[in-house]
């Protein structure tokens, strides 16, 4: 995090592929692979909801076989990350403007000159400072908003599934379940909630802070 944006770059680099910095490719891959956690969590919550509600409430997926869930996962994964990668590659990769805005402290601290065209990185710049001292919105704000909407979408899916799953397990309609089955479903659901808390606390919240905080300061 710097005065001109959040820069993400490898410590060592300057390798090129077809005149394109490998560093930029690696940072995009890292971001995509790391934050696929949230899509996987959303998928898991949907699957848990359908599993719990099977035989209790109607769902178009009640009769789905494992291959159907696998196919759905592949399709959603490809679509989601096609949009994600495109958004990051278009709006958060280096341009002449963002290279010119690279603060001196990055070189002073890390010894890495991001103004060098052979150096690759990704950068989240919400506002830029004009010579007059005025702050104006940077064009990458569109990409940041798209990424936030994607994260918000997965969050909404998770929240809705949590609410519906809890409601089904506790409802009178769940009387079709034996007490042992109901307890098992609740234990599995609690384990999923605990499992979800780790990436949310240590990844989701910090990322959202990094993306949102600069826009309100």
């Amino acid at each position: 995090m710097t005065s001109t944006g959040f820069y993400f770059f490898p410590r060592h680099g300057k390798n090129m592929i077809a005149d394109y910095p490998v560093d930029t490719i690696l940072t995009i891959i890292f971001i995509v692979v790391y934050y696929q956690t949230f899509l996987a969590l959303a998928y898991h919550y949907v699957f848990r909801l359908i599993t719990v509600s099977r035989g209790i409430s109607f769902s178009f997926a009640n009769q789905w076989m494992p291959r159907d869930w696998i196919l759905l996962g592949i399709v959603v994964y490809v679509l989601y990350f096609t949009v994600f990668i495109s958004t990051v590659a278009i709006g958060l990769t280096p341009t002449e403007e963002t290279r010119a805005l690279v603060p001196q402290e990055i070189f002073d601290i890390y010894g890495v000159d991001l103004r060098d065209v052979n150096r690759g990185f990704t950068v989240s710049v919400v506002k830029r400072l004009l010579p007059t001292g005025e702050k104006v919105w940077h064009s990458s704000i569109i990409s940041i908003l798209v990424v936030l909407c994607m994260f918000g979408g997965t969050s909404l899916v998770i929240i809705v599934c949590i609410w519906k799953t809890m409601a089904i397990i506790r409802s009178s309609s769940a009387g079709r379940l034996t007490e042992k089955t109901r307890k098992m479903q609740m234990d599995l659901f609690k384990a999923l909630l605990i499992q979800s808390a780790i990436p949310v606390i240590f990844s989701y919240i910090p990322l959202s802070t990094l993306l949102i905080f600069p826009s309100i300061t």
Side-chain angles (χ1 to χ4, degrees):
M1 178 70 76
T2 69
S3 57
T4 58
F6 178 76
Y7 291 82
F8 179 50
F9 57 91
R11 186 66 179 269
H12 306 285
K14 300 188 71 172
N15 297 314
M16 306 286 286
I17 294 180
D19 296 328
Y20 194 82
V22 175
D23 298 349
T24 300
I25 299 173
L26 293 177
T27 54
I28 292 175
I29 292 174
F30 179 88
I31 292 170
V32 170
V33 172
Y34 188 73
Y35 288 106
Q36 69 179 344
T37 307
F38 308 119
L39 182 60
L41 278 177
Y43 182 85
H44 199 159
Y45 275 102
V46 171
F47 182 78
R48 175 55 53 192
L49 173 61
I50 298 299
T51 301
V52 171
S53 63
R54 184 169 294 160
I56 297 176
S57 61
F58 172 77
S59 171
F60 67 91
N62 279 347
Q63 305 303 319
W64 280 20
M65 303 294 290
R67 66 174 180 272
D68 299 317
W69 284 102
I70 293 172
L71 180 61
L72 175 65
I74 292 173
V75 171
V76 172
Y77 187 93
V78 170
L79 291 176
Y80 187 93
F81 283 104
T82 296
V83 176
F84 192 100
I85 292 173
S86 300
T87 301
V88 173
I90 293 172
L92 304 181
T93 50
T95 63
E96 291 184 6
E97 181 183 12
T98 52
R99 285 192 187 278
L101 291 172
V102 173
Q104 180 63 31
E105 59 257 34
I106 290 181
F107 181 78
D108 295 339
I109 296 173
Y110 300 103
V112 175
D113 184 10
L114 296 184
R115 293 187 177 91
D116 185 345
V117 294
N118 293 328
R119 287 279 186 182
F121 57 90
T122 53
V123 57
S124 171
V125 179
V126 177
K127 294 180 180 180
R128 63 186 181 90
L129 188 65
L130 297 177
T132 59
E134 180 186 1
K135 287 185 177 181
V136 296
W137 294 103
H138 191 269
S139 58
S140 64
I141 186 65
I142 298 175
S143 295
I144 295 172
L145 290 175
V146 171
V147 171
L148 285 174
C149 287
M150 295 178 72
F151 287 147
T154 56
S155 299
L156 182 61
V157 169
I158 291 173
I159 291 171
V160 170
C161 287
I162 289 175
W163 170 64
K164 287 194 171 184
T165 302
M166 290 293 293
I168 289 174
I169 293 177
R170 292 175 175 175
S171 68
S172 58
S173 59
R176 302 178 188 179
L177 301 176
T178 64
E179 189 60 33
K180 184 177 180 180
T181 301
R182 186 200 295 264
K183 183 179 184 303
M184 179 190 70
Q185 292 289 1
M186 181 59 77
D187 289 343
L188 288 173
F189 187 62
K190 288 180 179 178
L192 181 58
L193 289 175
I194 295 172
Q195 174 188 339
S196 304
I198 296 174
V200 168
I201 294 173
F202 294 103
S203 183
Y204 216 148
I205 293 176
L207 174 67
S208 300
T209 302
L210 289 173
L211 292 176
I212 296 174
F213 182 74
S215 64
I216 58 177
T217 58

